[in-house]
């Protein structure tokens, strides 16, 4: 049911050695039409990531006139501090990928769920994650675009996964009485179940399947076994 990073990652990775020159990195980003690449040591371990933003620091901090001391506006400094691009004008002096890169790199592993990868990207504000093996060596890369692949899962495949999840999700009175429809990734659950909690479990199970866009709950139940939490207080 869970899609892993290995299912969606790119294995033909564009990467650079930490000794690569500024111009080599710039040429690679342009020729490969990518916004950033992993930086590796001589043994293929990931040291960091170098991006367009890292290289543009050389232009950003270039003097327009003699003694022009440029300082980014506060909003930009806050964004850099909270994001992944790094801070400081030192990158403007960088000549190699190792001097230009943002380190340490946020990485993931082939066996990690795509949900975990998406959360990691959001937490650190990155667009891509190098994928490493148990020894920290590069084996692939996963981007935001790669993570979107889970939403291309066929409707019939999603329906089969929903039906397969029913026996382990709830004790149904009549599993065959549950009608599951999937259109463009949207799951609609129809039917009658024994208890309200079973309906809740079915919806949650369907929502947890990778590739599901939304779940429309049209289930009914014979017994309402949801315990209402009492509200204490009053006059």
């Amino acid at each position: 049911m869970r899609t892993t990073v290995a299912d969606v990652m790119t294995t033909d990775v564009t990467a650079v050695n930490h000794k690569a020159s500024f111009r080599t990195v710039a040429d690679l980003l342009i020729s490969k039409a990518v916004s950033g690449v992993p930086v590796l040591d001589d043994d293929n371990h990931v040291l960091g990531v170098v991006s367009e933003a890292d290289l543009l620091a050389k232009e950003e901090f270039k003097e327009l006139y003699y003694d022009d001391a440029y300082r980014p506006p506060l909003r930009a400094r806050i964004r850099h501090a909270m994001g992944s691009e790094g801070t400081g004008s030192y990158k403007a002096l960088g000549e190699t990928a190792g001097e230009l890169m943002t380190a340490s790199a946020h990485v993931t592993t082939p066996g990690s769920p795509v949900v975990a990868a998406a959360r990691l990207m959001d937490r650190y504000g990155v667009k891509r994650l190098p994928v490493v093996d148990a020894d920290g060596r590069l084996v692939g890369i996963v981007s935001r675009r790669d993570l979107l692949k889970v939403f291309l899962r066929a409707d019939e495949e999603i329906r089969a996964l929903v039906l397969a999840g029913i026996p382990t999700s709830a004790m149904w009175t009549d599993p065959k009485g549950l009608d599951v429809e999937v259109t463009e990734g949207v799951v609609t659950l129809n039917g009658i179940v024994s208890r309200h909690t079973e309906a809740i479990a079915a919806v949650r199970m369907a929502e947890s399947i990778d590739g599901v866009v939304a779940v429309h709950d049209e289930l009914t139940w014979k017994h309402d076994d949801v315990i209402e939490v009492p509200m204490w207080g009053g006059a």
Side-chain angles (χ1 to χ4, degrees):
M1 227 181 258
R2 290 295 184 187
T3 304
T4 65
V5 169
D7 297 322
V8 299
M9 72 181 189
T10 300
T11 55
D12 183 16
V13 188
T14 299
V16 295
N17 184 272
H18 66 107
K19 300 172 185 175
S21 69
F22 182 102
R23 182 169 289 184
T24 297
V25 176
D27 180 68
L28 196 60
L29 294 181
I30 294 170
S31 63
K32 297 294 184 179
V34 293
S35 60
V37 293
V39 179
L40 311 177
D41 66 12
D42 295 331
D43 199 25
N44 211 40
H45 293 103
V46 177
L47 300 176
V49 173
V50 62
S51 69
E52 296 167 328
D54 295 325
L55 270 62
L56 283 174
K58 195 169 288 291
E59 278 298 315
E60 180 183 1
F61 288 89
K62 191 183 294 292
E63 290 188 359
L64 293 176
Y65 49 83
Y66 178 73
D67 204 27
D68 171 33
Y70 171 73
R71 180 174 171 80
L74 177 61
R75 181 176 297 178
R77 298 200 302 274
I78 293 174
R79 187 181 71 250
H80 292 318
M82 297 180 64
S84 62
E85 298 172 358
T87 59
S89 60
Y90 67 94
K91 288 189 179 183
L93 304 175
E95 298 180 19
T96 66
E99 295 168 345
L100 296 159
M101 70 182 184
T102 297
S104 300
H106 301 293
V107 300
T108 187
T109 60
S112 296
V114 292
V115 171
R119 291 175 179 174
L120 196 61
M121 287 184 186
D122 181 63
R123 182 183 306 159
Y124 295 107
V126 296
K127 299 178 181 178
R128 69 200 68 78
L129 295 171
V131 185
V132 299
D133 62 16
D135 296 320
R137 291 185 173 89
L138 184 70
V139 295
I141 195 163
V142 63
S143 67
R144 291 174 177 174
R145 182 177 299 176
D146 291 325
L147 295 184
L148 289 176
K149 292 176 184 176
V150 297
F151 293 105
L152 300 181
R153 176 173 269 172
D155 288 343
E156 279 305 310
E157 184 181 353
I158 293 175
R159 183 175 185 275
L161 289 171
V162 172
L163 291 173
I166 290 172
T168 57
S169 298
M171 298 298 294
W172 302 99
T173 302
D174 183 10
K176 295 180 180 179
L178 183 68
D179 180 32
V180 179
E181 298 179 0
V182 184
T183 304
E184 296 292 320
V186 177
V187 177
T188 300
L189 299 177
N190 280 287
I192 301 175
V193 296
S194 178
R195 298 186 294 273
H196 189 178
T197 51
E198 293 175 356
I200 294 173
V203 172
R204 290 179 177 172
M205 179 273 298
E207 289 175 337
S208 71
I209 295 174
D210 293 325
V212 170
V213 175
V215 177
H216 294 173
D217 177 11
E218 298 182 8
L219 294 169
T220 56
W221 51 87
K222 298 176 181 177
H223 306 289
D224 191 351
D225 58 341
V226 175
I227 300 176
E228 296 290 342
V229 178
M231 299 295 292
W232 298 100

